[in-house]
Amino acid sequence: MSEPIEVARRESSVLRISVRTAAIMLAFTLIFTALMAGTYKATAPRVAASALAEKLRLIGEVLPAANYDSDLMADAITLAPQQALGLDVDTRLWRARRSGIPVALVLEAAARDGYSGRIGLILAVAADGKLLAVRVTAHKETPGLGDYIDPKKDRNKKRPWITQFNDLGFDSVPRDKWRVKKDGGRFDQMSGATISARAVTNASGRALAWTLEHRDKLFALPANSRFEEKKQ
């Protein structure tokens, strides 16, 4: 057998193997993709339901359901990114009413200057201007040190640090005093962990001021509309 024929047979064999391998990989990819798509379709409703339940749980911590009789999820609007709230993406704002009368606004905010970065917040502001409550939704503060901003991690279970903001407004705590005591303000901070407390305190003050400034319009907008401040 001549050498060119043997070389041609080897090349043909290599080509067949390559084609077969490619076909197997393609089939595997298609099957895997189909399985993943099927899994997503099957689990998506449960994931969405779980996310909604968690959102309702957090909202319930800052605004008890007994305070309103409206459909909170239906009576919501979209907020465009708001620098004053520390937000750079669209978020939702929920309006609570009782017998059609405004009760409170529930919104998200963020402190970008936590010790370990961004601290996510959710807060409820009453129609009369009081901050009903604020809770931390996400953070990376140091365990056992700055994480007391989260009531689940706070060792003081009777009166967690973050509850000192409950039912306060600028009528009882002037805007320039909405700071931690170390900065000359009203609010306590834990020794050795001031940065976390300062970040949450300042962010909650900014969020309250922003909400009061836009309160009437936020309540008046049609459900599912978008709020975007006009640039001067």
Side-chain angles (χ1 to χ4, degrees):
M1 184 180 295
S2 64
E3 185 176 339
I5 294 176
E6 181 63 24
V7 171
R9 287 182 175 177
R10 290 176 181 174
E11 291 179 348
S12 177
S13 178
V14 170
L15 179 60
R16 286 196 301 273
I17 293 173
S18 298
V19 170
R20 185 165 62 251
T21 302
I24 292 172
M25 291 299 295
L26 176 60
F28 176 80
T29 300
L30 292 174
I31 293 171
F32 179 77
T33 301
L35 287 173
M36 290 299 294
T39 300
Y40 173 78
K41 289 182 179 180
T43 60
R46 281 180 289 175
V47 172
S50 177
L52 178 59
E54 176 63 13
K55 189 170 294 183
L56 288 171
R57 185 190 68 78
L58 287 170
I59 290 174
E61 288 192 14
V62 296
L63 181 66
N67 288 17
Y68 59 95
D69 59 13
S70 58
D71 185 343
L72 206 64
M73 293 297 103
D75 193 4
I77 60 175
T78 297
L79 292 184
Q82 302 293 330
Q83 183 176 0
L85 298 178
L87 303 173
D88 53 13
V89 296
D90 285 3
T91 56
R92 296 291 277 175
L93 178 145
W94 301 272
R95 287 92 61 91
R97 309 174 197 267
R98 178 177 286 279
S99 300
I101 299 174
V103 171
L105 298 167
V106 180
L107 64 156
E108 295 178 75
R112 298 179 178 178
D113 52 351
Y115 184 79
S116 299
R118 184 183 187 277
I119 300 172
L121 304 171
I122 189 168
L123 58 150
V125 178
D128 65 4
K130 290 182 180 178
L131 175 61
L132 295 175
V134 59
R135 290 291 183 274
V136 171
T137 60
H139 72 90
K140 297 179 180 178
E141 300 304 277
T142 307
L145 191 61
D147 64 348
Y148 68 88
I149 58 173
D150 182 348
K152 295 191 297 293
K153 305 292 181 65
D154 196 331
R155 296 176 182 175
N156 186 349
K157 299 303 180 184
K158 289 186 177 180
R159 189 177 181 273
W161 174 84
I162 205 164
T163 61
Q164 65 183 314
F165 300 104
N166 290 3
D167 299 317
L168 293 180
F170 294 141
D171 57 340
S172 55
V173 181
R175 180 70 183 92
D176 63 347
K177 290 296 182 180
W178 202 280
R179 296 179 289 176
V180 294
K181 288 182 178 178
K182 189 172 183 178
D183 296 337
R186 155 75 180 273
F187 300 103
D188 293 327
Q189 75 282 321
M190 296 289 189
S191 177
T194 301
I195 294 176
S196 305
R198 177 185 291 126
V200 172
T201 301
N202 292 346
S204 64
R206 289 192 298 268
L208 178 57
W210 182 90
T211 305
L212 296 182
E213 179 183 354
H214 302 288
R215 172 178 47 190
D216 293 342
K217 185 174 182 179
L218 294 171
F219 272 120
L221 283 172
N224 295 313
S225 60
R226 179 181 173 86
F227 176 86
E228 190 165 6
E229 290 184 85
K230 294 182 179 179
K231 296 182 179 180
Q232 301 296 327

